Amino acid sequence: MDNKALSIRFRHLLPLAFLLASCQHYLALKPAANVAIPASLNDVELLLNNSQSLNFRSASMGIGNTDDFFLADEAYLASDERERAAYRWAWHEYNFPNEWNTTYQAINIANLSLETLEKVGRGNVEGVRWDHLKGTALVYRAFHLLNALWTYSQAYDPGTAASDPGIVLRTSTDINVASTRSSVGDCYRKIVSDLKEAAPLIGSTSPLPTLPDRATAYGLLARTYLSMRNYGEALLYSDSCLALHHDLLDFNTDIAIIPGQSLLFGRFNKEVVFSALSIPMFRTEQPYNASVDTVLLAQYHPDDLRRQAFFWERPDGTTEFRGMYHIGNDQFFTGISTAEMYLTRAECQARAGEKEKAMADLNALLERRWDGRVPFEERQAADGASAVDLILQERRKELVGRNLRFIDIKRLNREGRQIGLRRKIETGFVDLPANDPRWAFPLPADIISQTGMPQNRY
């Protein structure tokens, strides 16, 4: 089949994929009789090349609900009441469209791809290609399940994971399968299972960072285990990811820091292991509306180039984030970078008593962020606990706007760090205490009414 024919066929396949959303409410429509049903490896490859749905619409409500960003009063007052309530952590009911919907559209594209592969069968002639496509679909499904789990569920706790409500584990496109919430423990087991199955199947390289490869699978395993506080496995898989992809940007030579320019970083720069972007639903999830927390800004040393590279001052005196690995300033980068993996490996090494290795990883990153005209002094830590604290501080400063701070706070609060959030709104304050039920966002009201699933407390 030539490229033109594939392109025409793909345009018919996409509507079917979009109709296959998560719950019966979003699956009321059946595909028309003239819609092509995917039936070949070419069809599966075209489905998985749909970066608009699979890469650029990831759940990211956590970005706008941390201590990294705030809304100036003018932006807050310009928001509608639903946005203002969410900003106060006083949620109103909300319905379609939303992040739940876009997440499960992506999951069902992955499910459709996996079902098609099973129907086609793994032949001897194209077995390697079949394996790679299966691994790709599994990685995409795990990526979106993990984002949804971080958004709509409490942090993993081994003592309560078997009973804590998780998300819907959709592994089929069958609209007759009822949607039910699995436990947090079952959700994490499925995500890990998908990624471990994918890793040996998927190729070690991909033509574009929007297409996952083996390093992506390892990086997502590191993310998953870190959020579970399983630091031994997070160390193993962050190391495995870096063994395949370890390049870091030097902010002295690899970027040009230009005052007033909104974007500095290339979309597919050498730190990008896997490219994904947020889908902003609220103003605090939109870089051009959100303002950077002043306490965070004060943590950067004057010779730390991240202060200039990641942020720029607006005419009104507020500060905007510009450190996304993206061609526009409308979405945050939520993919995987080598910088994230260095910080994950460093934290896990410090927790394992390997302080020297941990500090070597941290300093390898920080030296490339330091003004080369000023001598760089390596960071030192007296012991493992001090090393962890220092790495966590740098993790926050390095991974701003990556959809990682929200789950980091949640997992660290499980260790007793008591990180709460406070927002100043006009003349008053609102608070989100550590381990409050509102750290798990409510599910859409129409999903609850259609399925009868239990709602989160908020």
Side-chain angles (χ1 to χ4, degrees):
M1 188 179 295
D2 60 28
N3 290 337
K4 181 178 180 181
L6 283 173
S7 177
I8 293 171
R9 185 174 181 83
F10 186 38
R11 288 200 295 271
H12 288 291
L13 288 171
L14 277 179
L16 175 60
F18 279 108
L19 286 172
L20 293 169
S22 64
C23 299
Q24 293 173 11
H25 175 66
Y26 295 145
L27 291 169
L29 300 176
K30 294 183 179 180
N34 63 347
V35 173
I37 303 299
S40 69
L41 295 188
N42 283 338
D43 292 344
V44 172
E45 185 170 350
L46 288 168
L47 285 172
L48 295 175
N49 283 344
N50 180 11
S51 59
Q52 187 61 41
S53 293
L54 294 171
N55 297 78
F56 303 150
R57 296 161 67 89
S58 66
S60 58
M61 285 195 288
I63 293 177
N65 283 275
T66 70
D67 48 1
D68 287 345
F69 300 102
F70 71 95
L71 289 181
D73 285 342
E74 182 178 349
Y76 173 77
L77 293 171
S79 305
D80 61 33
E81 179 51 35
R82 185 182 75 129
E83 284 190 295
R84 289 198 294 268
Y87 187 70
R88 300 191 306 268
W89 305 296
W91 287 87
H92 283 187
E93 289 187 349
Y94 64 102
N95 298 299
F96 178 92
N98 49 61
E99 292 190 355
W100 180 276
N101 168 242
T102 56
T103 293
Y104 281 95
Q105 283 182 348
I107 288 169
N108 276 278
I109 291 174
N111 285 337
L112 179 61
S113 300
L114 291 167
E115 290 172 355
T116 304
L117 288 170
E118 291 304 312
K119 291 176 183 177
V120 171
R122 186 187 186 279
N124 292 328
V125 176
E126 292 193 284
V128 173
R129 185 184 180 200
W130 191 95
D131 288 345
H132 177 74
L133 292 172
K134 181 175 183 179
T136 299
L138 289 168
V139 167
Y140 275 128
R141 184 167 73 184
F143 173 74
H144 288 283
L145 285 172
L146 184 63
N147 281 341
L149 187 60
W150 286 358
T151 302
Y152 298 106
S153 298
Q154 296 292 343
Y156 181 87
D157 187 319
T160 61
S163 57
D164 288 339
I167 56 172
V168 179
L169 290 179
R170 296 294 298 192
T171 59
S172 167
T173 61
D174 186 352
I175 64 174
N176 297 307
V177 175
S179 292
T180 59
R181 295 185 72 171
S182 298
S183 70
V184 167
D186 284 343
C187 291
Y188 271 108
R189 276 188 288 273
K190 181 58 180 172
I191 292 165
V192 167
S193 174
D194 275 0
L195 292 170
K196 286 188 174 180
E197 183 179 0
L201 297 175
I202 199 167
S204 57
T205 60
S206 64
L208 284 173
T210 51
L211 296 170
D213 56 16
R214 192 166 300 149
T216 308
Y218 289 148
L220 283 174
L221 279 164
R223 270 190 180 182
T224 303
Y225 279 121
L226 188 73
S227 68
M228 298 173 71
R229 293 180 293 126
N230 186 333
Y231 299 116
E233 292 298 297
L235 172 57
L236 171 65
Y237 286 107
S238 57
D239 187 63
S240 296
C241 179
L242 289 170
L244 296 173
H245 193 149
H246 61 268
D247 290 337
L248 286 170
L249 291 168
D250 187 324
F251 282 18
N252 291 278
T253 57
D254 291 328
I255 63 171
I257 299 176
I258 303 172
Q261 182 172 311
S262 60
L263 298 167
L264 301 181
F265 297 91
R267 182 177 183 181
F268 298 149
N269 67 67
K270 63 184 180 181
E271 285 191 5
V272 177
V273 177
F274 175 64
S275 181
L277 301 175
S278 64
I279 176 166
M281 304 296 291
F282 299 101
R283 287 176 185 262
T284 46
E285 298 169 52
Q286 299 165 340
Y288 53 85
N289 276 318
S291 296
V292 182
D293 182 74
T294 56
V295 175
L296 171 61
L297 290 171
Q299 295 181 25
Y300 294 88
H301 189 280
D303 296 320
D304 187 338
L305 293 177
R306 292 175 297 186
R307 177 62 180 84
Q308 303 171 55
F310 287 171
F311 314 106
W312 67 292
E313 190 169 323
R314 301 185 181 114
D316 65 0
T318 61
T319 301
E320 183 174 324
F321 179 70
R322 64 173 178 177
M324 65 285 290
Y325 295 165
H326 177 37
I327 57 175
N329 70 335
D330 57 337
Q331 291 174 280
F332 288 101
F333 175 85
T334 58
I336 299 170
S337 70
T338 53
E340 177 193 345
M341 290 297 105
Y342 272 95
L343 287 162
T344 297
R345 187 170 70 177
E347 180 185 342
C348 296
Q349 287 168 332
R351 291 179 182 276
E354 300 180 14
K355 177 175 69 72
E356 299 305 320
K357 290 183 179 179
M359 298 310 295
D361 269 347
L362 181 63
N363 285 314
L365 172 68
L366 296 183
E367 187 171 10
R368 289 167 174 80
R369 272 48 174 163
W370 196 257
D371 190 333
R373 296 168 298 179
V374 181
F376 174 72
E377 294 185 10
E378 291 192 346
R379 302 295 179 85
Q380 304 290 333
D383 50 38
S386 299
V388 170
D389 289 342
L390 180 56
I391 291 163
L392 289 175
Q393 181 185 32
E394 293 301 333
R395 181 177 174 88
R396 183 186 177 193
K397 291 158 62 179
E398 175 69 30
L399 303 178
V400 182
R402 301 291 182 85
N403 202 31
L404 297 171
R405 176 64 177 167
F406 189 72
I407 187 60
D408 277 349
I409 294 175
K410 288 164 72 169
R411 69 165 169 105
L412 293 171
N413 280 341
R414 292 295 193 187
E415 298 179 351
R417 288 188 178 251
Q418 294 297 308
I419 304 170
L421 303 182
R422 164 166 283 196
R423 281 178 166 161
K424 183 179 183 297
I425 300 176
E426 297 185 279
T427 59
F429 294 90
V430 294
D431 292 281
L432 182 64
N435 299 313
D436 189 280
R438 290 171 294 170
W439 284 93
F441 297 144
L443 278 60
D446 49 354
I447 291 293
I448 298 300
S449 64
Q450 290 288 325
T451 64
M453 293 188 298
Q455 178 61 284
N456 291 332
R457 293 192 294 135
Y458 63 98

